[in-house]
């Protein structure tokens, strides 16, 4: 396992941690200001959300690289299955791939969407999802974009996801059978899973991302009360051991949705604490 005690060159910021840079969320910093603040602190890179980028993908990507970092990823495709898919599903999904390519983000995250109307459970939805991902995979591959299926905590079943575990995501990867389709492991979603190490080992080089935060003992909101690393009960070292034991050596991306705590703080303070916690507890 990598030693980060004196080295945070693998640390990346997911801009959700600062409230997505958006007015009304966090401090509303511009992407440029976020880029400068991350570069000053020696981060590896940044993961953006589509709504922050607008039509400036090429410009923002170049700005990140000029600051000595990489765009590590982009969040995310539209839901690909379930009742909340957009009208022009494949058009919007391809547009998200195009944006990742323009940013030169190597990984585009997929939050799948929930149970398909007219079906029950998740098995049918996973099949429909696999079909749609299989259709998108070659388009993404032509643009050097990997697609990372992110399993979500089971409480997000119904409307947000049909994948609850890394094992679920691997089952869909097997159905799709494309080299650029893999899995993103997010502490918030998998911290409880006792099968995590074995499913990560099985995933091997299909692990495309590792997302950090913490699970608060007394969580107050299922979406917007993620903890800073070290403040909660997730066994962060054990999870990283599982991910890196499988061969993952990419960025560790801090992704904290926290409407009542971290989004209310000065982003500079959030970034400083993030660096310190990454070195000491992750
Ligand atoms: Zn995540």
């Amino acid at each position: 396992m990598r030693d980060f005690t004196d080295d945070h060159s693998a640390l990346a910021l997911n801009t959700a941690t600062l409230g997505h840079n958006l007015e009304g969320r966090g401090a509303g910093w511009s992407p440029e200001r976020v880029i400068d603040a991350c570069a000053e602190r020696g981060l590896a890179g940044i993961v953006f959300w589509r709504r922050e980028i607008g039509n400036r993908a090429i410009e923002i990507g170049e700005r990140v690289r000029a600051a000595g970092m990489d765009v590590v990823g982009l969040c995310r495709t539209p839901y690909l299955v379930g009742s909340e898919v957009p009208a022009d599903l494949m058009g919007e999904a391809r547009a998200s791939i195009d944006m990742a390519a323009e940013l030169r983000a190597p990984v585009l995250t997929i939050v799948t969407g929930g149970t398909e109307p007219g079906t029950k459970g998740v098995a049918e939805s996973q099949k429909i999802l696999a079909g749609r991902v299989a259709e998108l995979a070659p388009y993404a591959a032509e643009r050097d974009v990997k697609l990372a299926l992110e399993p979500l905590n089971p409480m997000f079943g119904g409307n947000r996801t049909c994948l609850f575990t890394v094992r679920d995501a691997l089952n869909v990867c097997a159905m799709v059978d494309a080299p650029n389709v893999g899995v993103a492991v997010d502490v918030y979603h998998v911290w409880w899973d006792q099968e995590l190490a074995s499913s990560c080992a099985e995933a091997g080089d299909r692990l495309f991302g590792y997302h950090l935060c913490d699970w608060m003992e007394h969580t107050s909101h299922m979406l917007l009360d993620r903890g800073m690393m070290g403040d909660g009960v997730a066994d962060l070292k054990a999870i990283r051991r599982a991910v890196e034991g499988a061969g993952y050596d990419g960025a560790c991306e801090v992704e904290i949705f926290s409407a009542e705590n971290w989004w209310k703080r000065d982003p500079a303070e959030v970034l400083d604490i993030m660096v310190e916690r990454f070195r000491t507890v992750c």
Side-chain angles (χ1 to χ4, degrees):
M1 194 158 92
R2 291 176 286 179
D3 180 4
F4 295 142
T5 313
D6 298 310
D7 171 22
H8 61 274
S9 59
L11 174 61
L13 174 77
N14 183 308
T15 58
T17 305
L18 304 183
H20 302 285
N21 315 336
L22 295 174
E23 211 66 51
R25 295 284 201 191
W29 278 11
S30 67
E32 284 78 3
R33 193 159 174 201
V34 173
I35 291 165
D36 289 344
C38 289
E40 276 167 25
R41 290 167 176 80
L43 267 59
I46 302 179
V47 177
F48 291 101
W49 288 67
R50 271 196 294 153
R51 56 188 170 163
E52 300 160 349
I53 301 298
N55 57 7
R56 299 203 297 140
I58 292 172
E59 177 193 339
I60 290 173
E62 284 172 357
R63 184 77 164 65
V64 170
R65 286 180 291 281
M69 301 182 295
D70 291 311
V71 180
V72 170
L74 177 67
C75 298
R76 56 180 173 71
T77 63
Y79 291 153
L80 300 178
V81 66
S83 64
E84 295 176 23
V85 298
D88 179 18
L89 169 58
M90 284 308 189
E92 200 184 310
R94 281 190 293 271
S96 66
I97 292 168
D98 290 340
M99 183 183 281
E102 287 173 5
L103 281 165
R104 285 170 50 193
V107 177
L108 174 65
T109 304
I110 298 176
V111 173
T112 67
T115 293
E116 184 72 2
T119 74
K120 303 281 187 187
V122 292
E124 275 308 306
S125 300
Q126 290 179 359
K127 283 183 205 155
I128 294 164
L129 170 69
R132 290 177 181 163
V133 173
E135 199 179 326
L136 293 168
Y139 186 86
E142 282 165 20
R143 288 156 184 79
D144 279 332
V145 174
K146 293 178 182 173
L147 302 174
L149 293 160
E150 182 164 346
L152 304 192
N153 190 299
M155 67 185 174
F156 292 115
N159 63 344
R160 285 180 193 268
T161 192
C162 61
L163 304 177
F164 303 141
T165 59
V166 171
R167 177 78 57 203
D168 281 347
L170 286 177
N171 290 344
V172 171
C173 288
M175 286 189 257
V176 175
D177 192 24
N180 65 324
V181 175
V183 185
V185 174
D186 187 319
V187 164
Y188 192 73
H189 299 304
V190 304
W191 72 276
W192 55 273
D193 183 2
Q194 294 302 296
E195 306 297 319
L196 184 67
S198 62
S199 45
C200 282
E202 194 183 308
D205 60 9
R206 282 196 192 275
L207 291 178
F208 292 167
Y210 178 49
H211 306 173
L212 275 168
C213 67
D214 210 334
W215 180 274
M216 300 304 286
E217 181 189 359
H218 299 290
T219 190
S220 64
H221 190 284
M222 73 181 201
L223 188 64
L224 301 179
D225 187 30
R226 291 185 179 212
M228 178 63 73
M229 299 85 76
D231 286 348
V233 296
D235 189 345
L236 297 174
K237 294 232 192 260
I239 298 170
R240 188 158 69 87
R241 200 175 300 120
V243 170
E244 294 193 1
Y248 183 78
D249 61 0
C252 303
E253 163 192 340
V254 174
E255 183 184 31
I256 299 174
F257 300 80
S258 174
E260 297 303 323
N261 184 358
W262 298 99
W263 289 357
K264 290 187 167 172
R265 301 197 193 195
D266 174 2
E269 178 199 356
V270 176
L271 291 170
D272 288 339
I273 294 172
M274 177 182 97
V275 170
E276 189 260 324
R277 297 290 180 87
F278 182 72
R279 284 173 166 236
T280 51
V281 302
C282 293

